[in-house]
Amino acid sequence: MNAAALAPSRPAVPPNLDQRGARSVPRRLFPLSLAVLLPLIGCVASWSMQGGWLGPAMADRWTRALLATADVGAFRDLTGTAYPVLPLGFDMIMALVPGSAGLPAPLLVNVLILSVAASLWVRMLVAGGHRFVPALITAGLLSCAPSLSLMVAGGGAAPVGVLAFTIAVSSALRLARRGEVNDMIALGVSLALLALADAAGAYLVLASVPFIALLLPARMVATSASGSLLVVMFPLIFAALALFYANWVFGGSPLAFAAGVDAAIHGSAARIGDSSWLLGPGRGMGTALLAGALLILANAPLLPVGLWAGDRGARRVLLLLTGLILTALVLASATWFLGDPGRLLAYLPPVCALAAAVTVRHRLRGGLLPLLALLGLAAGWWMQGQAGDTDTAAWRQAMLGAGPLDAATQGELALGRFLRDLDDVAIDGLTAGAVLPGRGRAAGLVLPSNDRLKADLIVGHLRTSYVALRDPVSAAGARDRIAQALPDLWQDAGRGAVLVYDRGGWRVWRLPAGGRNGGE
């Protein structure tokens, strides 16, 4: 009997998931997949916006991108204490691309990033033994999952996090099977990027620590469990220290990015009453655990297939990744962060792609793979309607063609259109909602981050041609720095000032040249 026959058998493994530099997948597969998936994802994302719907997160990200690329002071203030960090950086780059003026930079970024991630899912599936067309259809359906589509169209940061999580998922399987240092580093870097990409992703990273310890091969744990864990977590530790240091330098505190009840890291904590999830199943840890497990199973029917047909190592990794998402969902609910569980369910598609890819020994036939993905899409749409918050409900109505804008957003967009032809306008752009997206540009606006306006607010003189502000006694006006610094300006802008706009809770005054305008 020869030595080969006596050697222990090794389970069949997709080449790109177990061997470095797999050659079984043609290089042209990625650009071909990207060319097909990019218009598909773009169409789905823009469908809800055709009727004029604009989500608050999209308006906020778009505003920040316009401000940071038009004003040096705003760039310093926004980038110094920004969180999440990566979406703002990508948004600024997209806003500076020639020909992108007037287009929502966050939407373009989300569509492009998700298309790249979906193309990686196609590659993963093809390397797992599936044909290109079913793999492409499956990846397209996974990218259209309701929880993920909402994040793309609504301006969420999840698409950037999903790309990082896709890399983490592949790295996790390679680490569990090979246990090489390169795989540990890849996993650590992807987790660091995930934490910087999305506040919900930070909960995934927080929940991942015990699961990483379980993921490490037995020989690495026996050699040095703490050392191995430190290698994986070092990029995350470095990223966290860099974030805290930047906030300390530019914001005066390592936790400046968490200041304010509306900070991204707080999620839905200030709007618990708008969330049926936090008022219902997410209120208790036990009910959140049970409901979360049901949501995962409903949104990911490919997951049980991977657990059944995958090899032993794949089952272990899939169970750990599922437990990771479920743990993050419970933690985020317990801290009132998770107003909509879809923010974490959006991270299921990479796990579903991996679950399908590891079924190489029991490859699904014909259209069963896309059929299961379609089933998850339909179940996800129904479950989303049961557990979503008010923003989710607005997006769902917009997708059905019956989603009118709320009055506040309509007023902000109307003011933005009015200001398109005006320059030298003093306005607190960061708290102006959809005003800047309605205007399409920030050039010509004088912001509180500008040294000129800072000096004007201190002495009570405005030297701009126009000023736009909210009622200082209103809830929205309480955050308007101009209205709060000059509270009398709402009623009286001084001698020679002319009220040129008074609608939707906004007023615009045309100020006389060289006049004193402090409401006196």
Side-chain angles (χ1 to χ4, degrees):
M1 189 176 294
N2 56 29
L6 295 174
S9 61
R10 188 183 185 190
V13 177
N16 75 314
L17 299 178
D18 189 55
Q19 298 175 8
R20 187 180 290 110
R23 298 180 182 178
S24 60
V25 180
R27 292 183 178 180
R28 66 179 181 276
L29 186 68
F30 180 83
L32 182 59
S33 302
L34 187 62
V36 175
L37 293 170
L38 187 61
L40 170 66
I41 296 173
C43 246
V44 174
S46 60
W47 181 266
S48 59
M49 303 180 70
Q50 291 183 2
W53 177 80
L54 184 67
M58 176 66 74
D60 182 67
R61 274 183 63 181
W62 195 356
T63 295
R64 290 172 181 270
L66 292 174
L67 291 175
T69 53
D71 183 80
V72 175
F75 173 82
R76 180 184 62 246
D77 293 344
L78 290 175
T79 57
T81 59
Y83 186 81
V85 178
L86 296 183
L88 178 60
F90 288 132
D91 292 346
M92 289 191 297
I93 294 173
M94 186 61 70
L96 293 173
V97 173
S100 64
L103 298 175
L107 179 66
L108 300 178
V109 168
N110 282 353
V111 169
L112 180 59
I113 293 293
L114 182 57
S115 300
V116 171
S119 299
L120 293 178
W121 304 340
V122 175
R123 188 181 190 280
M124 192 184 299
L125 290 168
V126 171
H130 298 285
R131 295 180 182 274
F132 172 69
V133 173
L136 184 64
I137 296 174
T138 302
L141 291 171
L142 290 175
S143 66
C144 295
S147 55
L148 192 50
S149 296
L150 169 61
M151 295 295 105
V152 176
V160 182
V162 166
L163 177 58
F165 194 58
T166 299
I167 301 172
V169 164
S170 297
S171 301
L173 185 60
R174 290 197 303 268
L175 175 61
R177 284 175 164 158
R178 302 190 311 191
E180 295 186 2
V181 175
N182 288 344
D183 302 322
M184 298 168 65
I185 295 174
L187 178 60
V189 171
S190 59
L191 289 177
L193 294 176
L194 176 59
L196 296 176
D198 185 16
Y203 277 88
L204 283 172
V205 174
L206 179 64
S208 70
V209 178
F211 290 95
I212 291 175
L214 295 173
L215 187 68
L216 294 172
R219 60 180 178 81
M220 300 185 74
V221 175
T223 303
S224 176
S226 58
S228 301
L229 187 61
L230 182 61
V231 171
V232 177
M233 300 304 295
F234 178 77
L236 177 63
I237 296 172
F238 180 81
L241 291 176
L243 176 67
F244 295 149
Y245 179 73
N247 278 263
W248 175 63
V249 171
F250 294 101
S253 167
L255 298 177
F257 67 92
V261 296
D262 57 344
I265 196 64
H266 298 312
S268 300
R271 299 181 292 113
I272 299 176
D274 297 336
S275 170
S276 60
W277 170 259
L278 291 177
L279 295 177
R283 185 166 44 185
M285 295 191 69
T287 54
L289 181 65
L290 178 60
L294 293 176
L295 286 171
I296 290 174
L297 289 175
N299 283 267
L302 281 168
L303 188 56
V305 175
L307 292 173
W308 168 72
D311 60 82
R312 183 187 223 174
R315 292 194 194 105
R316 177 163 157 261
V317 173
L318 287 173
L319 282 173
L320 291 176
L321 290 173
T322 305
L324 165 62
I325 295 177
L326 184 57
T327 303
L329 191 147
V330 173
L331 287 176
S333 300
T335 57
W336 299 339
F337 170 88
L338 198 64
D340 179 6
R343 291 197 62 178
L344 282 169
L345 296 177
Y347 288 90
L348 279 174
V351 182
C352 291
L354 179 65
V358 297
T359 59
V360 61
R361 295 182 302 170
H362 303 275
R363 188 162 63 249
L364 301 182
R365 296 181 180 179
L368 187 55
L369 191 67
L371 183 61
L372 287 172
L374 182 61
L375 179 63
L377 194 152
W381 173 265
W382 184 82
M383 297 291 281
Q384 185 186 57
Q386 311 304 310
D389 56 14
T390 53
D391 292 339
T392 303
W395 173 78
R396 288 169 62 86
Q397 289 296 316
M399 288 295 290
L400 298 174
L405 284 170
D406 62 272
T409 305
Q410 287 179 349
E412 292 160 359
L413 290 172
L415 175 61
R417 290 189 290 268
F418 175 80
L419 296 177
R420 282 178 182 174
D421 298 325
L422 301 182
D423 288 323
D424 197 30
V425 181
I427 185 173
D428 188 356
L430 193 58
T431 63
V435 171
L436 266 73
R439 189 171 185 262
R441 60 189 179 94
L445 301 181
V446 184
L447 309 169
S449 56
N450 184 284
D451 292 338
R452 170 189 169 192
L453 184 55
K454 285 181 181 178
D456 288 355
L457 294 178
I458 291 174
V459 300
H461 296 74
L462 289 183
R463 294 170 293 170
T464 56
S465 301
Y466 299 87
V467 59
L469 73 163
R470 300 180 191 261
D471 185 349
V473 300
S474 67
R479 300 172 60 237
D480 190 312
R481 287 171 285 183
I482 297 177
Q484 292 302 310
L486 303 173
D488 296 332
L489 194 62
W490 174 259
Q491 296 292 345
D492 181 14
R495 184 180 306 168
V498 179
L499 183 64
V500 296
Y501 187 92
D502 186 10
R503 291 196 300 273
W506 284 90
R507 285 183 178 178
V508 178
W509 293 91
R510 184 173 66 238
L511 306 178
R516 177 184 176 88
N517 305 96
E520 299 179 359

